[in-house]
Amino acid sequence: MPPSDPAAVPAAAPTEARLQEIVFPDHTNHLGTLFGGQALAWMDKAAFIAASRYSRRTVVTARSEQVDFRLPIRQGQLVETIARVVEVGRTSMQVDVELVAEDLLSGERETCTRGRFVMIALDSRGRPAAVKPLPAPA
């Protein structure tokens, strides 16, 4: 019997997305720190990607819940946006998102911002669509 093709075996749906950006001057306020609105845009984008990949459906943002801006992110830093699908309802997905700032010269990293986004899966007619449940933890 020929060996099975590993590409033919469906992989578990990814629950995480990671994006990286450099903070340039046009992303910052008069203090040289990242605009809150820019941070929220990057977080929403990462939540969208994580939820889309998990559900394999079109998704929209239904809500952003508490977002905590703990530390400023400065011009010139690398920002890694990490989004994880942590809960799934019938049509919704809750996605935890964090922003981690990294100094490119020293490599020092700090989690600066955390928040949760609720994303809704849609069918081809734009109506809420069912999402498969999260797999049980191994």
Side-chain angles (χ1 to χ4, degrees), residues 1-5:
M1 180 169 234
S4 62
D5 178 7

Side-chain angles (χ1 to χ4, degrees), residues 85-101:
V85 177
V86 294
E87 289 183 41
V88 173
R90 192 177 69 74
T91 63
S92 66
M93 292 157 281
Q94 293 191 33
V95 183
D96 282 348
V97 184
E98 62 182 331
L99 294 181
V100 179

Side-chain angles (χ1 to χ4, degrees), residues 3 19 22 25 29 42 49 59 62-63 66 80 88 92 95 110-111 115 132 136:
L19 306 175
I22 292 288
N29 60 26
W42 288 345
I49 292 169
V59 302
R63 177 172 64 245
Q66 183 171 344
E80 184 171 23
V88 173
S92 66
V95 183
E110 292 183 291
T111 299
K132 64 185 170 284

Side-chain angles (χ1 to χ4, degrees), residues 50 105-106:
L105 300 180
S106 71

Side-chain angles (χ1 to χ4, degrees), residues 63-120:
R63 177 172 64 245
S64 61
E65 295 183 350
Q66 183 171 344
V67 176
D68 296 317
F69 295 92
R70 297 177 181 180
L71 296 169
I73 299 172
R74 305 203 179 284
Q75 180 181 318
Q77 288 186 305
L78 174 74
V79 176
E80 184 171 23
T81 308
I82 305 164
R84 293 180 183 94
V85 177
V86 294
E87 289 183 41
V88 173
R90 192 177 69 74
T91 63
S92 66
M93 292 157 281
Q94 293 191 33
V95 183
D96 282 348
V97 184
E98 62 182 331
L99 294 181
V100 179
E102 178 179 326
D103 182 287
L104 287 173
L105 300 180
S106 71
E108 183 180 340
R109 293 170 55 91
E110 292 183 291
T111 299
C112 297
T113 307
R114 292 182 190 271
R116 180 171 280 199
F117 291 74
V118 178
M119 311 302 284
I120 304 295

